[in-house]
Amino acid sequence: MRTSLKTFLGVAAAGSLMFSLAACSPAESTATAAPAASSSSSAAAEMPKPLASIPALTGVSTAVKLDASFAAALETLKLTPGTVGTAELTDGSLVFPITGGKVDYYDPAKDYRPYVQGLISHAGSGFSLTAGETTVDLTNFTIDPGTSKLYGDVAVNGTTAVKQAYIFNLDGSTLKPLQAAGDTAVLEGTRVLISDTAAGLLNKTFNTDAVKADMLVGIAKITVNTK
């Protein structure tokens, strides 16, 4: 199924809001349930239809331009970064191919929340942090636009420690306007911050307390096919 550029622009414009810290308050973090109805057909009638939808994302990538402060912190901690799977390190950016997902955009003027819902998957890629004989792999990233969070699998020396842990917070307060280029659209400027969960896991694994929640990792650039 083809998704027109016009349709995608509507979704991506919502994406500009969904990455904002103010876009989703705690009260909005769960979709509003439809009121009880006497029949399934009545319940279905209460379920709003999205204004725009991309039912099957086909790529292309999420790239994170690593911040100099993050690189300096890794050096101080004596942590060596690396890529995993299909990820690449190009011109100072970690690049993770988008492998699937979907996005639905509901009318923000209505009560249904969150009004941007879906998942953006990056299966088979990630990055590693190594100190001495210990290597932590962070892989299979999933972006949840409704909560502005990124989840991923965590493995230590090849053994899975946590599946789909909350790794990064996505702060869209510095997001640039949407850019269209040929058959792709680009959202650039989202700040990628280490979550308190990830900070705790890394500190425990590497026996330190130097990894802080909200440490800036870098700036994200999400490029998505529009058809």
Side-chain angles (χ1 to χ4, degrees):
M1 175 181 292
R2 288 180 176 268
T3 301
S4 69
L5 178 59
K6 181 179 179 181
T7 298
F8 178 79
L9 292 179
V11 177
S16 299
L17 298 176
M18 74 190 178
F19 287 120
S20 170
L21 288 180
C24 185
S25 68
E28 296 176 337
S29 61
T30 303
T32 303
S38 58
S39 67
S40 58
S41 60
S42 297
E46 296 291 340
M47 178 71 179
K49 292 182 179 181
L51 294 181
S53 179
I54 300 179
L57 294 172
T58 59
V60 284
S61 67
T62 295
V64 180
K65 183 73 172 179
L66 299 178
D67 189 77
S69 64
F70 180 68
L74 293 183
E75 185 174 352
T76 298
L77 294 170
K78 297 182 179 179
L79 295 176
T80 302
T83 58
V84 178
T86 57
E88 296 181 352
L89 179 59
T90 304
D91 296 329
S93 292
L94 285 167
V95 183
F96 311 105
I98 292 174
T99 57
K102 58 178 291 186
V103 177
D104 292 324
Y105 171 48
Y106 296 88
D107 187 349
K110 304 296 183 181
D111 293 334
Y112 196 72
R113 289 294 184 273
Y115 58 83
V116 179
Q117 298 184 29
L119 293 173
I120 303 175
S121 301
H122 308 75
S125 66
F127 72 97
S128 62
L129 295 172
T130 300
E133 297 181 353
T134 301
T135 296
V136 173
D137 291 334
L138 306 173
T139 61
N140 301 322
F141 298 139
T142 302
I143 294 175
D144 182 344
T147 61
S148 296
K149 293 180 179 181
L150 184 150
Y151 300 86
D153 297 341
V154 181
V156 180
N157 291 337
T159 300
T160 299
V162 185
K163 284 279 192 180
Q164 293 300 291
Y166 167 34
I167 299 177
F168 299 124
N169 177 42
L170 304 175
D171 171 12
S173 61
T174 56
L175 190 66
K176 297 178 182 179
L178 176 73
Q179 297 179 346
D183 291 337
T184 65
V186 178
L187 282 173
E188 185 174 6
T190 297
R191 299 170 73 235
V192 180
L193 309 171
I194 291 181
S195 72
D196 53 355
T197 300
L201 287 170
L202 292 173
N203 282 330
K204 181 178 180 180
T205 301
F206 292 113
N207 192 29
T208 182
D209 60 0
V211 182
K212 306 298 183 183
D214 292 331
M215 177 186 290
L216 177 62
V217 175
I219 303 299
K221 178 181 179 180
I222 300 176
T223 305
V224 182
N225 287 329
T226 58
K227 64 178 183 179

